[in-house]
Amino acid sequence: MSAVREAARPQVRTRIWLEEAVPGHSGVTQAAHCHGYDLTGDLLGSARWVEMIFLLLRGEAPSADQARLLEALAVLLANPGPRDPAVHAAMCAGSTGSTAAATLMAALAVGAGQLGGAREVHAAVTAWQQLGCDLSTWQAACAARRQAAPGVASIWPHTEHVPGFDPNATAASPLVGAALARLAALGVGPHLAWLLAHLDVLEAAAGAPLAMTGVAAAALVDLGFSPAQAEMLHLLLRLPGAAAHALEQQTLGPKHFPFFDLDLVDDPLHQEAA
Amino acid sequence: MSASDRPPSWAGKAFVGTRVVFRGQDLHADLRHADWMDLFVFGITGRRYGPAALKLMHALWVGTSYPDVRLWNNRVAGLAASARSTPSLAVAAALGMCEATVYGGHPCVRAIDFLRSARQRVAQGEDLDAVVAAELAERRIYGYGRPIHATDERLPWLLAIAREQGLADGPHLALALEVEQLLCARDPRLKMNYAAMSAALAADLGFSVVEFHHFQVPMAMAGVPPCAVEAAERPAGALFPLSCDHIRYEGVPKRAWPGRA
């Protein structure tokens, strides 16, 4: 490429990452800075993983309390467990020897959803932003949500449940309650504490027990993340468990993984017999 | 075994070693000669379409399969191949990201939803201009206007095939063309694009919003593999490698990481 065309070279604009080249070798990195912080000279060995994540998304280092809350949330979300549909998806891929990327893509596709997934967290964080910590506003919003007719079509299917609450739960989950209490006790931001204080009223308004997505959303709001950032983080932070369970099933193979059964309702053989 | 371990299914079932039921038909006995598009649409809708409709459906896919590796989805497939990833991962990633806001899934869903709803409202006696104005007051009407070039080169070809197959006289396409006139009177750049025309033709074929959403998933897929195959033929890492000169940093100046006590 000529010097003239070199000047007009297309560029990626970023406020996140500065990468300096070795003189004379524009493809070889001498040093990299994340939001101004030297990766190898400063961050490596000093910054914790959750501090790096916070820095990447928020552009600033977290306070010690924020880092503690994000770390606790990351531990909480790291493994949704094999019952979780996203982990189930990863295990399907793992048990049959799919590629590692396909395995995580399977977990992401399922874990992206509006029931127990990242899109639900997006919706819940949006709700927190709109409703704040005002009980009557939440009650009104819950009632409206549960009665809302499908509106304009979207790539996301219409859902009726209040985001952050589990419409399929047959009882409140002690695990979810304990997680909320532990995170709220860290004392970062008002939302977790307010959710804990008004949980009974909110669950009654939602007509469903609190879900882990609701805990995660409140924590992510306390950490100052936007709905889009919260959605991404929820996807990312749940991947370790999906990976671990998929690798475990890979060693066991498909014969040791449930295949279930189906009750075929329109079997042509039955129709012929009838 | 509980009932949830054995859910009812109308979609189908593999009786491995003997037969497969596909939406109530034996895949190998009844459907073995099916055109792939026929089977795909049958799977989504439960309806079998005739040769003219299937020809149009093929055209809907063919006409927007652009093997240009600069295009975002194709580029991802090309980058995957360039990084020596696998074809499945390349194509799956490219397809997944086609459910985008500026192209693909989102505009298609919004376009067919608006056209179906507008047609209903007009059939109930509302004036189309008022329907359009009311929609614009609430939100953008997808399927009109195009970011790079206002003219959509795909439309005359698609329309010609629809006419050739006798499928260009449906009410949704007529309404979509009227909407174009109304929008262009407001802003000449708001010419119809592929999302509106494909949505209108699909609606005239009886597709619901959900059915069209599923139908359009692989719409651009045929353009993806050539980009991956070409990238795989190049040296590894040779597709659009970004040097430090390609990155324009606009963030804060260098600073020291705050110490923790």
Side-chain angles (χ1 to χ4, degrees), chain B:
Chain B
M1 187 181 282
S2 75
S4 64
D5 287 342
R6 187 188 167 90
S9 173
W10 49 257
K13 183 172 180 177
F15 296 89
V16 179
T18 53
R19 65 195 175 99
V20 173
V21 177
F22 190 113
R23 267 197 177 258
Q25 297 198 33
D26 188 303
L27 178 66
H28 302 111
D30 304 327
L31 298 168
R32 66 187 181 283
H33 294 302
D35 168 274
W36 190 85
M37 177 68 80
D38 179 15
L39 186 70
F40 178 67
V41 173
F42 176 56
I44 294 169
T45 67
R47 299 187 295 271
R48 301 292 298 274
Y49 282 86
L54 291 175
K55 176 101 177 166
L56 177 59
M57 291 175 199
H58 277 287
L60 281 165
W61 285 5
V62 168
T64 194
S65 292
Y66 287 15
D68 182 331
V69 77
R70 296 171 305 167
L71 294 170
W72 311 278
N73 57 331
N74 293 344
R75 196 188 312 180
V76 167
L79 288 169
S82 183
R84 300 301 185 249
S85 187
T86 76
S88 279
L89 293 172
V91 174
L95 276 189
M97 61 185 281
C98 281
E99 215 163 36
T101 306
V102 300
Y103 72 102
H106 185 81
C108 280
V109 167
R110 291 289 295 275
I112 193 170
D113 187 45
F114 170 71
L115 293 173
R116 285 172 56 94
S117 147
R119 183 178 172 245
Q120 263 185 342
R121 292 171 65 177
V122 169
Q124 288 163 359
E126 285 191 62
D127 176 61
L128 181 59
D129 198 7
V131 171
V132 166
E135 186 73 6
L136 287 175
E138 293 288 327
R139 61 189 72 84
R140 174 186 167 186
I141 297 179
Y142 275 85
Y144 299 89
R146 208 175 175 206
I148 298 173
H149 196 291
T151 299
D152 194 323
E153 66 281 357
R154 297 165 287 189
L155 301 198
W157 301 101
L158 181 58
L159 194 55
I161 290 183
R163 286 189 177 127
E164 179 188 296
Q165 299 302 319
L167 294 168
D169 302 316
H172 292 96
L173 181 59
L175 182 135
L177 292 165
E178 277 185 71
V179 170
E180 180 183 39
Q181 289 183 351
L182 293 168
L183 290 174
C184 283
R186 291 168 166 83
D187 182 343
R189 293 171 299 178
L190 293 178
K191 291 182 182 172
M192 187 188 294
N193 66 34
Y194 205 69
M197 184 171 280
S198 57
L201 290 167
D204 283 337
L205 288 170
F207 279 56
S208 68
V209 175
V210 170
E211 288 168 350
F212 183 55
H213 192 183
H214 281 277
F215 169 81
Q216 63 80 43
V217 169
M219 210 176 225
M221 190 173 75
V224 176
C227 300
V229 170
E230 181 183 55
E233 287 176 359
R234 290 201 180 102
L239 180 66
F240 298 137
L242 297 180
S243 71
C244 292
D245 298 335
H246 284 94
I247 310 300
R248 190 165 114 201
Y249 180 64
E250 300 174 341
V252 298
K254 294 176 184 175
R255 51 184 171 166
W257 180 249
R260 294 266 181 268

Side-chain angles (χ1 to χ4, degrees), chain A residues 86-265:
Chain A
V87 180
H88 187 167
M91 292 189 300
C92 285
S95 71
T96 51
S98 300
T99 57
T103 301
L104 293 186
M105 286 162 73
L108 289 172
V110 177
Q114 299 172 95
L115 181 68
R119 199 64 189 175
E120 180 171 22
V121 171
H122 184 287
V125 171
T126 302
W128 277 111
Q129 288 186 339
Q130 292 168 346
L131 308 173
C133 295
D134 184 310
L135 199 52
S136 59
T137 312
W138 267 95
Q139 287 173 307
C142 287
R145 169 87 184 192
R146 293 169 66 189
Q147 292 164 4
V152 176
S154 151
I155 58 167
W156 298 100
H158 173 71
T159 56
E160 291 169 349
H161 76 283
V162 176
F165 296 84
D166 184 353
N168 294 335
T170 52
S173 161
L175 182 72
V176 171
L180 173 62
R182 290 299 293 266
L183 293 185
L186 294 177
V188 181
H191 300 89
L192 282 163
W194 186 85
L195 178 59
L196 180 62
H198 300 91
L199 188 56
D200 290 345
V201 181
L202 287 167
E203 287 184 332
L210 184 69
M212 202 62 93
T213 49
V215 178
L220 291 162
V221 172
D222 273 343
L223 288 165
F225 290 112
S226 69
Q229 291 168 337
E231 183 180 19
M232 284 285 192
L233 270 176
H234 196 259
L235 286 167
L236 279 171
L237 295 178
R238 284 162 35 105
L239 287 179
H245 283 289
L247 289 170
E248 182 182 51
Q249 293 305 319
Q250 197 174 54
T251 63
L252 295 170
K255 289 185 178 174
H256 298 282
F257 190 67
F259 195 65
F260 298 103
D261 200 356
L262 290 176
D263 186 10
L264 192 61
V265 298

